[in-house]
Amino acid sequence: MEMMRSTAAAATGSPCTMLANAAQKRSSSGAVSLESRLLGDLTLRSAICSFERLWKPRNIALQTSGKSLRINCMKHEEQQNSKRGREREREKKHDRNGFETPYGGGFNGSMEEAGFQMSDFPDGDWLYKLDEVEEGPDSPFLDAVVKVYCTHTDPNFSLPWQKRRQYSSTGSGFMIQGRRLLTNAHCVEHHTQVKVKRRGDDTKFVANVLAIGPECDIALLSVEDENFWKGVEPLRFGSLPRLQDAVTVVGYPIGGESISVTSGVVSRIEVTSYVHGASELLGVQIDAAINAGNSGGPVFHKNGECVGIAFQSLKGVDAENIGYVIPTTVIHHFLSDYDTNGRYTGFPSMGVMWQRLENPALRTFLQMQPDQKGVLVRKVEPTSPAFHVIKEGDVLLSFDNVPVANEGTVPFRAGERISFGFLISQKFSGDTANVKLLRDGKVIDIQTTLKTPVRLVPVHIEGKLPSYLIVAGLVLTPVCNPYLESEYGADFEFDAPVKILEKARHGMAEFDDEQLIVVSQVLANDVNIGYEEITNTLVKTFNGVKIRNLKHLAHLVDTCTDDFMRFELDYCSLVVIETKVARSVTSKILADNCVPTDRSQDLMTSDAIDVQASSSQDDTPVVQENGGL
């Protein structure tokens, strides 16, 4: 702490240094003045701010304008809450009367030096003077808010045959009807253990994760212990708030252990980017503070009804007090989906990419009448039901009899409009929709079925382990957003290969099970000399056959009877390996790199077992020379 104080004083210039020295002399003489205490507080805060800027964790971000503005779901910050708390405890000091000096400053003298006379409080009665202050009861809904403790074990996408080191995080949650709890999906992602604690209680209860909705960033929990539910009323959901309505955010954010309450107003209601799920759903913007640890906590209306879940905030030099709330419309969709299907099935998609029609020449070219409005269909996903009834070049005029404007909005509430994607998000997978189209100047009515979208590059792997296949040292794996983040960091959208990013953002799957396969790395061996530098390169074909997914590639490798294995990669690269040699050295490559098997469990087939058995017989002498493994 002394080093931090001197650093802060030096940063403020020579006058501040002189004042600090003078304050130190007065302190050493036994007279702690108010000026010296204030100066100590100021210098400590300055140093602490610098410390926090240096060690500020990287966030999961959605780029909105350059690199200065980002929407942050606070996942990484929440993962560090427990660690920060332990570090701050180690930084605390104790004076001779047993008082702790807070990490943010405070007095370092004794009680007598601070002006207190201990004789005025015999037998420590001063400790209980606060109890004489009359306090009214807190709002009853605060007791339904809980603190969530989660232990995570993330997959290791760089070494997919093992997991990363275990870590802990904290968040917030709240009780709802049916003896269940709600929190954010990113609070319990890749969980190995989840515990919850009630307000004012010293017991942590083990919770079970019933469902996780990555797109809407909601998770549903349950607690079996009856003692957890005693004496607490679940929260009641309210309707969607209106602009300027007063709201209160309740949770357990960073900065303390007890419950925290912040207040603000509703600033905006519109379809919002959900960072964790990379989706577009209805969101409520508020100006109340939402910090790391608030995630999963309820947001209350002035009448005490829950109107949403705090889940992300906007950070940047041009952004202040911008937080986002998951509204009750999205929450009800999640709960209804779970109650109907017994699991989370997701939000449906229409399966089309569209363009605004605000240009008069473009509308005339499409033979639109002056009173007609709509959006232009630019592409239809091959895996969607709409692929058979909607064509590129159609003009979407209305959805379920609700007219769509040229800018892609529909009426919402009095004086408000919203993206017509909101209408789609209100439906469930398998529902039908009536769509009015303009095709070649003629209006037609069609009916299409909605289903959850098939992403060529998945946003999440939903708690599964990464798939991988090792062939002659080539580590092959499917591309997903967590893999790209593992390889290139949270800002992978700026650093990952352009061809992969283009397919991830604009590519459409031709089949429901299609995957992008890359050579993530090469485990060096004599058999792959010259290929060691290949990393994160897309695989296009194997022996001239286009690859559909990793399971398809594994089948082609296992059943290969050619003398050579030929992998055609992106950027016109070609990898050729002799088939017999590749199979004979597999066990040695695995042993040298401490890899248990040449593939993940989801790729274990009868063909794979036959190939492994034959290769183990062929390379028996080689294995014995390396320790008989």
Side-chain angles (χ1 to χ4, degrees), residues 226-330:
E226 294 291 334
N227 295 323
F228 177 77
W229 303 100
K230 289 182 178 179
V232 181
E233 289 292 328
L235 298 184
R236 293 179 294 106
F237 288 113
S239 58
L240 190 69
R242 292 188 173 273
L243 297 179
Q244 297 184 350
D245 279 1
V247 292
T248 302
V249 180
V250 181
Y252 292 85
I254 188 173
E257 293 297 323
S258 60
I259 200 168
S260 171
V261 179
T262 57
S263 60
V265 298
V266 175
S267 307
R268 181 182 294 151
I269 300 176
E270 64 181 1
V271 174
T272 304
S273 296
Y274 281 47
V275 176
H276 182 71
S279 55
E280 300 280 336
L281 298 171
L282 187 67
V284 177
Q285 179 184 320
I286 62 176
D287 66 352
I290 296 179
N291 298 304
N294 268 128
S295 290
V299 177
F300 293 100
H301 199 264
K302 57 185 177 181
N303 58 10
E305 293 180 332
C306 177
V307 295
I309 305 174
F311 76 116
Q312 66 186 25
S313 60
L314 186 64
K315 304 294 184 182
V317 294
D318 297 326
E320 292 183 2
N321 301 329
I322 299 180
Y324 293 93
V325 175
I326 303 171
T328 51
T329 53
V330 178

Side-chain angles (χ1 to χ4, degrees), residues 37 44 51 59 62 126 138 170 189 257 342-343 352 360 377 385 405 443 453-454 466 494 509 524 570 573 623:
R37 294 176 205 155
L44 276 173
F51 179 83
N59 305 319
L62 175 67
W126 63 275
D138 290 333
T170 62
E189 187 179 30
E257 293 297 323
R343 61 186 181 91
V352 299
V377 176
V443 177
V454 177
F494 299 92
D570 218 344
S573 298
V623 176

Side-chain angles (χ1 to χ4, degrees), residues 147-162:
K147 189 169 185 177
V148 179
Y149 300 83
C150 184
T151 302
H152 311 256
T153 307
D154 289 349
N156 189 337
F157 289 92
S158 299
L159 303 173
W161 48 86
Q162 64 186 32

Side-chain angles (χ1 to χ4, degrees), residues 462-517:
E462 300 179 358
K464 302 176 183 177
L465 294 176
S467 298
Y468 72 92
L469 174 69
I470 300 178
V471 181
L474 276 67
V475 181
L476 302 135
T477 187
V479 181
C480 59
N481 275 16
Y483 171 79
L484 294 176
E485 184 181 348
S486 173
E487 291 291 303
Y488 300 101
D491 293 330
F492 66 86
E493 293 184 344
F494 299 92
D495 302 323
V498 174
K499 290 192 175 183
I500 294 180
L501 288 177
E502 192 277 332
K503 292 182 180 293
R505 295 294 168 260
H506 306 292
M508 292 184 176
E510 298 181 8
F511 316 100
D512 286 343
D513 57 354
E514 186 176 3
Q515 295 175 324
L516 288 182
I517 308 301

